[in-house]
Amino acid sequence: MSKLGAGIAITGIGSAAPKAILSNDHLSQMVETSDEWISTRTGMKNRHIASSTESLSQISARAAQQALSMAGITAADLDLIILATSTPDDLFGSACQVQSLIGATKAVAFDLTAACSGFIFALITASQFIRTGVHQNVLVIGADILSHWVDWSDRNTCVLFGDGAGAIVCQGIEQGDRLLAFEMYSDGSQNNRLNLPYIGESKPLVEDIEASVGTYRPIVMNGREVYRFAVAKVPEVIEKAMFRANITSEQIDWLLLHQANRRIIDAVAQRLKIPREKVLSNIAEYGNTSAASIPLALDEAVRQGRVQPGDIIAASGFGAGLTWGSAIFKWG
Ligand code: UT7
């Protein structure tokens, strides 16, 4: 157990994505769209799609194993696993399956649902357990297989989403705190902008009592409204976190946003006066992977040697709920 009031360091990262790659040209064979429309409106070229034999727990476990190996600890050292996902293999949660797959016998594991803000919300949740001295080694995973829940005949949404998983190891440290600041918000009054709703039909059980029996229906989104929300709220939430961290945008080494749309990323960077070369993005290769997008992009940048120990990263997630949040942290 770490000391009360300990700081947090992110000591390992990993990611995994399914093998199959669905390109814009493939999508053009499925719905009335084009590589030109998708590329210019979203910045996306490819997205990875999970097959019927690739589960969320499996890709999460692969990402987790890489993160553990970079951190130099084993799964048996973990105290807590938080799996941010909206697409568990099992509605009761998938974190415990990941726990079992990696052999984290001592840890407690649970799911956290906050759509595309899930990774940021999970990182912040993990930090509370570490700062209060309750846990020392925490695995935070952001993973989604939205392809399970896409209407593949709806060109408004089917071109946007892909599958993947990213994981980080957060550890308590006695000196210094690498999580410099965070902010998180939600606004349920705008809940109808982006949904993956349960729809049930009445099933009479006995006289005067009926149950609703059904399933979840494909993603529906008001893209324009979510776009407007993101461009307004994301710079604001990052500015608030920068204020708390007592830093200016010039001190930020990397801007790392949820990869929903290249135009949103560019607009936010412009508002914050962060130059393009300081923006991390892999949206072209993965599309919108929901809770996975931030750790997936960070893992790639760390392994490429772009992000170096001590670099300051301003990260922000936003999406269904509506939810949005920001975390400013030093890598390593
Ligand atoms: O991860 C959670 C957060 N999600 C987001 O942040 C998503 C935010 N929204 C967006 O990124 C954008 O709104 C989209 C990429 C979803 C859409 O881009 P847009 O520039 O806002 O397009 P639009 O919805 O205003 O649609 C423009 C036109 C429409 O045709 P009309 O009504 O002008 O005739 C659409 O029917 O483009 C049409 N359209 C398409 N055309 C070709 C919509 N999807 C497609 C498509 N291919 N795939």
Side-chain angles (χ1 to χ4, degrees):
M1 188 175 279
S2 62
K3 292 207 177 89
L4 188 66
I8 298 134
I10 300 175
T11 55
I13 187 158
S15 68
K19 267 206 220 88
I21 295 174
L22 189 71
S23 69
N24 291 349
D25 289 332
H26 289 135
L27 284 158
S28 309
Q29 296 165 34
M30 296 161 50
V31 289
E32 203 181 321
T33 191
S34 63
D35 174 45
E36 205 264 330
W37 192 96
I38 303 170
S39 305
T40 53
R41 299 280 179 137
T42 71
M44 296 170 189
K45 285 282 186 190
N46 295 318
R47 61 289 293 145
H48 293 232
I49 303 293
S51 72
S52 57
T53 57
E54 288 170 304
S55 71
L56 184 99
S57 308
Q58 284 166 352
I59 59 170
S60 298
R62 268 165 52 202
Q65 271 149 350
Q66 290 174 18
L68 288 166
S69 139
M70 189 186 284
I73 63 170
T74 68
D77 296 319
L78 287 172
D79 304 305
L80 170 67
I81 299 170
I82 306 177
L83 171 62
T85 188
S86 305
T87 54
D89 298 323
D90 182 322
L91 205 48
F92 288 144
S94 287
C96 302
Q97 282 169 271
V98 177
Q99 172 193 12
S100 168
L101 283 171
I102 63 175
T105 43
K106 184 180 90 174
V108 59
F110 61 84
D111 288 31
L112 181 152
T113 304
C116 304
S117 307
F119 177 76
I120 295 291
F121 281 25
L123 165 63
I124 294 165
T125 305
S127 76
Q128 304 310 298
F129 283 100
I130 293 174
R131 282 183 176 165
T132 49
V134 175
H135 292 311
Q136 166 68 22
N137 298 321
V138 183
L139 179 69
V140 174
I141 306 169
D144 268 307
I145 299 189
L146 281 178
S147 65
H148 287 170
W149 299 106
V150 161
D151 175 354
W152 289 105
S153 64
D154 175 13
R155 70 175 184 175
N156 289 294
T157 52
C158 78
V159 302
L160 303 174
F161 300 106
D163 306 331
I168 57 170
V169 172
C170 300
Q171 295 189 274
I173 50 171
E174 288 187 12
Q175 304 242 311
D177 193 343
R178 316 277 166 82
L179 178 61
L180 306 182
F182 63 81
E183 286 281 325
M184 54 205 294
Y185 295 92
S186 62
D187 177 6
S189 73
Q190 296 192 65
N191 180 260
N192 64 357
R193 304 281 196 236
L194 178 48
N195 302 96
L196 202 172
Y198 170 84
I199 311 276
E201 279 176 19
S202 164
K203 179 177 166 59
L205 300 178
V206 290
E207 200 180 342
D208 294 336
I209 301 181
E210 50 152 20
S212 164
V213 177
T215 185
Y216 290 86
R217 294 293 159 87
I219 298 166
V220 278
M221 176 169 74
N222 183 330
R224 273 180 218 185
E225 288 300 327
V226 177
Y227 188 99
R228 216 169 291 167
F229 144 78
V231 169
K233 293 296 184 189
V234 174
E236 193 181 287
V237 78
I238 294 173
E239 274 165 353
K240 284 183 175 163
M242 285 194 311
F243 179 77
R244 274 188 195 275
N246 197 23
I247 60 166
T248 62
S249 63
E250 292 86 64
Q251 289 169 272
I252 288 173
D253 295 298
W254 302 105
L255 180 68
L256 174 56
L257 304 187
H258 165 50
Q259 307 285 297
N261 188 318
R262 184 69 217 199
R263 288 186 295 142
I264 295 176
I265 297 170
D266 292 343
V268 172
Q270 207 173 11
R271 263 274 303 275
L272 296 172
K273 299 193 172 60
I274 294 177
R276 220 185 151 87
E277 58 274 16
K278 289 187 172 183
V279 175
L280 297 176
S281 178
N282 60 3
I283 195 169
E285 179 56 24
Y286 296 98
N288 178 346
T289 56
S290 191
S293 80
I294 291 174
L296 201 56
L298 182 58
D299 181 46
E300 214 169 80
V302 167
R303 285 175 199 276
Q304 286 165 353
R306 292 181 75 197
V307 170
Q308 292 291 320
D311 281 0
I312 296 180
I313 297 162
S316 176
F318 52 92
L322 298 177
T323 53
W324 65 106
S326 170
I328 299 184
F329 56 90
K330 281 188 187 169
W331 167 252

